[in-house]
Amino acid sequence: MTYTLYYSPGAASMAVHWMLIEAGIPFEARLVDIDTGAQHDPAYLRLNPAGRVPTLVVDGVPRHESAALLMLLAERHPDAGLAPDLESPERPEWYEMMVFLANTLLPAMRDWFYADSDGDPAGAEAVRALAERRIEAAWDRLDAHLADDRAWLIGDRLSTVDLLAVMLMRWSRNQPRKAINWPHLGPYITRLRALPSFIELNAREGLTEWNNPVS
Ligand SMILES: N[C@@H](CCC(=O)N[C@@H](CS)C(=O)NCC(=O)O)C(=O)O
């Protein structure tokens, strides 16, 4: 099995990058810096015609969509334990939560960050206002889910849901209402950010914002 991850620091590629590190899966990482427009490079567009990150080349075939890539990797590497077993009662919840994050929260985030370029700039403020409501409703839902003081979003161990959720929570750091300020999301984020794989991920992507304070 061979993997090449095309990523941009802190972007939607982050959860996939995190999973590859956490699971100890060998891979090659290639930077596509979206801040410099590298996603529009003709060579990259041949791998990802939408001009977005991530792309994960799996055994020579370019694959896309962060949530799908996490689920694919979980299936190809079951020993990593990053998804509940097929027969486990937690498996349906895992599907539900992966799709909720990918289908509801991630598009609202895209709208918030790209309202001016994906749509008519004249309507951007209204788009962002609606996106904010959707994002905050998602924090409410995830916060309520963690209200029983569980350590992880699904079951009793880390899963791809946590990797995707924390990446999305990180994106709220400069938004008017930050996920970290929700009562149960705050301690959850602090716990997840302390994982050695998260620290390693930030080092590899050169990210210095939104880490736990060094004690
Ligand atoms: N649904 C996609 C979203 C990918 C996406 O929007 N990536 C952003 C970065 S977070 C991107 O590539 N932006 C560059 C652009 O749109 O030009 C996924 O989850 O993989």
Side-chain angles (χ1 to χ4, degrees):
M1 290 193 251
T2 64
Y3 299 107
T4 303
L5 175 68
Y6 290 79
Y7 78 100
S8 191
S13 41
M14 197 176 178
V16 180
H17 202 177
W18 189 359
M19 176 161 183
L20 290 163
I21 295 170
E22 168 66 32
I25 299 167
F27 68 100
E28 190 186 326
R30 296 210 186 141
L31 177 66
V32 180
D33 189 350
I34 60 174
D35 289 342
T36 64
Q39 71 275 31
H40 305 302
D41 223 74
Y44 185 68
L45 289 174
R46 279 196 287 279
L47 292 174
N48 187 326
R52 293 186 183 176
V53 289
T55 297
L56 184 67
V57 180
V58 179
D59 298 335
V61 182
R63 300 281 178 205
H64 316 115
E65 290 299 329
S66 54
L69 296 173
L70 293 171
M71 295 168 97
L72 178 70
L73 287 170
E75 281 180 9
R76 287 168 63 99
H77 299 275
D79 291 350
L82 287 167
D85 291 342
L86 215 51
E87 289 79 25
S88 146
E90 279 132 15
R91 185 79 175 196
E93 206 182 349
W94 177 73
Y95 286 120
E96 253 172 47
M97 203 56 106
M98 286 300 292
V99 172
F100 168 69
L101 294 173
N103 211 20
T104 301
L105 182 49
L106 210 148
M109 283 288 185
R110 170 96 203 171
D111 284 350
W112 198 87
F113 284 106
Y114 290 90
D116 292 285
S117 52
D118 281 356
D120 180 353
E125 207 176 307
V127 169
R128 257 193 302 272
L130 176 58
E132 248 167 66
R133 284 170 60 173
R134 291 193 168 136
I135 292 164
E136 289 164 16
W139 301 149
D140 286 343
R141 174 170 166 176
L142 295 175
D143 194 74
H145 190 73
L146 291 167
D148 59 4
D149 287 330
R150 62 173 71 211
W152 317 104
L153 281 167
I154 301 296
D156 56 4
R157 60 186 301 178
L158 180 73
S159 78
T160 59
V161 167
D162 298 298
L163 308 183
L164 190 55
V166 170
M167 176 190 87
L168 291 161
M169 289 172 193
R170 183 179 183 278
W171 292 357
S172 74
R173 71 195 181 283
N174 296 320
Q175 291 179 340
R177 295 190 64 208
K178 297 146 189 42
I180 202 159
N181 291 333
W182 264 254
H184 303 287
L185 298 185
Y188 167 79
I189 288 169
T190 304
R191 201 165 43 245
L192 271 283
R193 288 194 307 200
L195 291 176
S197 56
F198 185 79
I199 295 166
E200 175 66 19
L201 168 70
N202 279 266
R204 291 200 200 179
E205 295 206 352
L207 300 171
T208 51
E209 271 186 283
W210 209 74
N211 297 316
N212 284 345
V214 180
S215 52

